[in-house]
C-alpha cells in the first residue's frame, strides 16, 4: 500500500512539473518555459525566430546580420527560476518541464502539442502536422502530405530556396506552404495574394497554377467577338505555350494567342518557331507579349 501511495505521489509531482507555468511563458512564435542563449552572438532570446527578427532585419547593420544555427544551441535559461543550464527538457534547478514537446536534436521546446510536432531525420528538423500524415520525398528533399505521395511532380530540392514572391527561405518557414501543379513551392498566402492581382501562373516556370478552363472559354468568346483589321487578317505568329511547351504557328490576335496543342492561352509570342530558318514575318511589325 505504501509503495503504491509513493508511486501515485511521484506521478502527481511529475504531472505538476509538466503543467506548472504551461501556456504562460514564451513568445509570439512558441509557448515554452525557457529561453535560449544564441551561440552566435551570446545573447538571450525567447526562440530562434525572435533572434532572427532582431539580428537579420533591415534595422541591423548589414555586416552584423545573421541567422541563429538552431542545432548549435547548447544553453537554455529556465523561465521560472532563471537558471542557465545545458539543453534538456526539465530544469536542473526547479525541475519544471520547459516544453511538453522536446527535441534534443533541434534543441526545440514547445508547450502547444496541438501542432502535432515530429522530428524528420531526413529533413533534419522538426515539423508539424503529425508524422502519420506526411512522407519524405527523397528527390524533393522535404516532407509532403501523404495525399500527394503518388500525385506530386518531383522537383529537385523543391523547398530549398526562397519563396518567389516574398523571398523568405521556404525549407524551415513557419508559414503554410503550397505545392503548385508544376511541382514548385511557395507560401500559401503568397499564392492567394497573387490571385488578388489576377496572377495565376507560377513565378518560376510560368505554368498555370490552377484550372483555367473557364478563363480560356471567356477568352475564346472575346477573340471571336473582336476580328482583326484587314492589315492583320492573314498575319501568322509563332507562340510558345507555357503550359505544355509546344511551339505552334497561329493566327495573330491583339487579345491573346491560343495554343493549338492544349488549348491554353498561357502563351508567349516568339520570334521564330522550332525551325530557326523559318521566318514568321508577314510584313507587319511583330507584337511580342504574353498572356495568362
Amino acid at each position: 500500500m505504501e509503495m503504491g501511495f509513493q508511486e501515485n505521489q511521484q506521478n502527481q509531482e511529475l504531472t505538476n512539473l509538466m503543467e506548472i507555468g504551461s501556456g504562460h511563458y514564451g513568445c509570439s512564435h512558441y509557448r515554452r518555459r525557457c529561453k535560449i542563449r544564441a551561440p552566435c552572438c551570446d545573447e538571450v532570446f525567447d526562440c530562434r525566430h525572435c533572434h532572427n527578427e532582431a539580428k537579420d532585419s533591415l534595422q541591423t547593420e548589414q555586416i552584423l546580420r545573421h541567422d541563429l544555427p538552431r542545432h548549435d544551441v547548447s544553453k537554455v535559461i529556465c523561465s521560472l527560476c532563471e537558471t542557465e543550464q545545458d539543453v534538456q527538457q526539465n530544469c536542473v534547478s526547479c525541475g519544471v518541464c520547459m516544453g511538453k514537446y522536446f527535441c534534443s536534436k533541434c534543441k526545440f521546446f514547445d508547450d502547444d502539442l496541438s501542432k502535432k510536432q515530429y522530428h524528420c531525420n531526413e529533413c533534419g528538423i522538426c515539423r508539424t502536422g503529425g508524422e502519420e500524415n506526411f512522407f519524405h520525398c527523397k528527390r524533393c528533399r522535404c516532407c509532403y502530405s501523404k495525399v500527394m505521395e503518388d500525385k506530386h511532380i518531383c522537383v529537385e530540392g523543391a523547398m530549398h530556396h526562397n519563396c518567389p514572391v516574398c523571398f523568405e527561405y521556404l525549407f524551415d518557414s513557419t508559414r503554410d506552404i503550397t505545392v503548385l501543379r508544376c511541382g514548385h513551392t511557395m507560401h500559401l498566402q503568397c499564392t492567394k495574394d497573387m490571385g488578388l492581382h489576377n496572377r495565376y501562373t507560377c513565378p518560376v516556370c510560368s505554368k498555370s497554377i490552377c484550372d483555367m478552363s473557364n478563363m480560356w472559354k471567356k477568352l475564346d468568346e472575346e477573340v471571336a467577338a473582336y476580328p482583326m483589321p484587314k492589315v492583320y487578317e492573314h498575319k501568322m505568329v509563332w507562340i510558345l505555350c507555357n503550359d505544355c511547351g509546344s511551339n505552334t504557328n497561329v493566327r495573330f490576335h491583339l487579345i491573346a494567342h491560343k495554343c493549338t496543342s492544349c488549348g491554353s492561352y498561357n502563351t508567349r509570342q516568339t520570334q521564330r518557331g522550332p525551325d530557326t530558318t523559318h521566318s514568321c514575318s508577314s510584313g507587319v511589325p511583330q507584337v511580342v507579349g504574353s498572356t495568362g
Side-chain angles (χ1 to χ4, degrees), residues 3 13 40 53 66 70 81 100 118 133 138 149 154 170 189 203 220 225 243 247 258 260-261 269 276-277 287:
M3 287 183 64
E13 288 175 359
C40 41
E53 287 172 3
H66 64 280
R70 72 175 82 188
C81 70
K100 292 179 181 178
Y118 69 96
N133 299 318
K138 293 185 181 296
E149 192 160 6
C154 283
L170 289 173
Q189 186 57 50
D220 280 338
D243 285 335
N247 281 281
K258 184 176 184 176
T260 55
S261 295
Q269 190 175 329
T276 55
T277 62
V287 180

Side-chain angles (χ1 to χ4, degrees), residues 63-76:
I63 195 171
L64 299 175
R65 292 177 196 170
H66 64 280
D67 284 342
L68 186 150
R70 72 175 82 188
H71 298 100
D72 293 344
V73 172
S74 61
K75 296 292 182 181
V76 297

Side-chain angles (χ1 to χ4, degrees), residues 6 9 38 40 63 85 97 104 116 119 127 136 153-154 177 207 225 228 237 240 242 245 248 253 260 285:
Q6 289 177 345
Q9 193 174 26
C40 41
I63 195 171
Q85 58 205 277
C97 174
S104 59
K116 297 183 178 180
H119 181 86
R127 297 203 174 277
H136 184 91
I153 296 175
C154 283
I177 296 169
K207 290 183 184 293
M228 285 292 93
V237 292
L240 170 67
N242 292 322
T248 51
H253 202 285
T260 55

Side-chain angles (χ1 to χ4, degrees), residues 14 27 29 51-52 63 94 104 107 125 205 226 242 272:
L14 289 173
C27 59
H29 307 103
H51 169 279
N52 294 345
I63 195 171
C94 67
S104 59
K107 321 298 173 61
I125 60 175
C205 67
Y226 294 96
N242 292 322
R272 287 178 172 79

